[in-house]
Amino acid sequence: MATNTLTITDNRTGRSYEVPVADGTIRAIDLRQIKVDDEDFGLMSYDPAFLNTASTRSSITYIDGDRGILRYGGYPIEQLAEESTYLETAYLLVHGELPTEAALAGWTQEITHHTLVHENVKHLMEGFRYDAHPMGMLISVVAALSTFYPEASTVDDPEVRAAQAVRLIAKVPTIAAWSYRHTRGLPYVYPENELGFTANFLSMMFRMAEPRYEAHPALERALEVLFILHADHEQNCSANAMRAIGSSKVDPYSALAGAAAALYGPLHGGANEAVLKMLAEIGHLQEVPGFIERVKKGEGRLMGFGHRVYKNYDPRAKIIKQVADEVFEVTGRNPLLDIALELEKIALEDEYFVSRKLYPNVDFYSGLIYEALGLPVAMFPVMFAIPRTAGWLAQWLEGADDQEQKIARPRQLYVGAKERDFVPLEQRAGRELVAV
Ligand code: CMC
């Protein structure tokens, strides 16, 4: 008769242990009882980079990496990209259900009325160097928001948490757009309440002297879809950062700045920037095979390829490829697209990439779309951070309500020196210097 337990035999002692199996997992803490003697700390699991460790229970986003499935709250990403809006999707992530008509109207009204930032935020941004990276500005200014909302540190109060979630979803696009205006030396454009979330963002980005910025409807919708696709992705590097920082009960502005910093790296949200740089460096179609050969020799990576979880294809990449076609119909074809298509074609047939299950990820084509929308490469990670704000907040809110969560604090395997006596400075001459 099958039981939901795992029997472990410790061959060091010959003893057996039975630990419960629930939801296809054992609890790592159940290993602690396994000891060779009373002095032993107990068995731990060693899992650098969390390759096989579930850090939380979550009902926000579901991914089946082998089958290329992504769902928010059970809804397939393909349907959301087709039928939803970013704000509706953000509501779904934060509240766990699609809103009713009245709830969506209320949510939209709330977000819209929190898009303005304190004038001191503007002055703070004006203090950055003219060529400051917009992502560095976004990270710093989001952290600085905590000084404007000191009540946000009362994180045990659900109402306070909800209010900061609204503020962040509303204000991040304003800060993001202003970071772009700053690098262009353009005056900052204030949000307009009559515009929708995406149209308002485009207006804050691109409005010049005209009384109203009219975004092309196809481009506005394309951005809406990109925002939906980027809104959450379960326990990725930045979501994990958001939860880990949030677990110390710091305010959400500080936690979200940390999450955004994690996103900035080229292996995560910085990949779209890295893809464009890579395509520009390759430069010509005839250089593609040589580039692929260099990647296979380990001289760099094919950016925008591969994923920790998706080992079949990234469903977001499929949708993005379609969006790219729609955008290029309006803006004209990006010449780098041909290089991207050729890279994809060769890589998908090449044994190196096939055997490692490396497929295009969300970032392979998103940069080309952003470029077609007129955005400089440095803005690409910012474009990822805007929609991911909803996902980070959803993860943070879920963590705050989770009775099983405590401050995130992994164990380590110490491999440094054993106890030794301090050596006075004058006696250290001739000893090998250890690089610091
Ligand atoms: N180009 C060439 N080889 C690769 C690539 C790549 N893009 N990605 C993985 N590999 C190889 C890697 O060298 C290794 O080969 P071997 O077994 O011979 O050592 C094997 O594939 C497994 O790679 P890994 O580094 O162990 O895989 P990982 O799960 O730790 O890394 C990844 C996932 C996304 C960091 C990685 O695929 C990568 O660096 N991709 C390029 C950066 C990128 O596009 N990132 C965006 C991810 S999607 C957006 C997001 O959610 O943030």
Side-chain angles (χ1 to χ4, degrees), residues 22-100:
D23 301 322
T25 59
I26 59 161
R27 287 186 176 252
I29 197 71
D30 286 342
L31 300 175
R32 191 72 72 73
Q33 60 183 309
I34 303 174
K35 300 181 178 195
V36 282
D37 54 40
D38 288 345
E39 297 295 298
D40 189 356
F41 179 75
L43 200 67
M44 291 194 297
S45 60
Y46 175 58
D47 190 11
F50 301 115
L51 287 180
N52 197 37
T53 293
S55 62
T56 188
R57 289 176 177 276
S58 182
S59 49
I60 302 168
T61 293
Y62 174 78
I63 299 178
D64 181 334
D66 291 329
R67 293 196 291 152
I69 290 174
L70 169 62
R71 296 180 199 136
Y72 300 156
Y75 297 103
I77 193 67
E78 293 79 7
Q79 290 180 24
L80 291 166
E82 186 74 32
E83 296 182 49
S84 188
T85 61
Y86 173 67
L87 272 193
E88 186 181 54
T89 298
Y91 183 101
L92 168 67
L93 292 170
V94 169
H95 294 284
E97 290 297 339
L98 282 172
T100 60

Side-chain angles (χ1 to χ4, degrees), residues 4 80 87 96 108 126 168 175 197 199 225 255 267 278 312 323 333 386:
N4 283 330
L80 291 166
L87 272 193
T108 306
E126 283 164 352
L168 272 160
I175 298 165
F197 188 85
V225 174
L267 297 189
M278 173 189 77
N312 181 327
V323 173
R333 202 175 156 85
I386 296 169

Side-chain angles (χ1 to χ4, degrees), residues 233 266-269 271 295 300-308 311 316 352-353 356 358 361-363 384:
H233 214 227
L267 297 189
H268 191 5
V295 168
R301 289 201 160 189
L302 176 49
M303 300 311 287
F305 257 68
H307 200 276
R308 170 62 59 80
K311 299 300 177 194
R316 301 168 300 173
Y352 175 95
F353 295 91
R356 287 170 180 77
L358 301 171
N361 60 50
V362 70
D363 285 323
F384 197 150

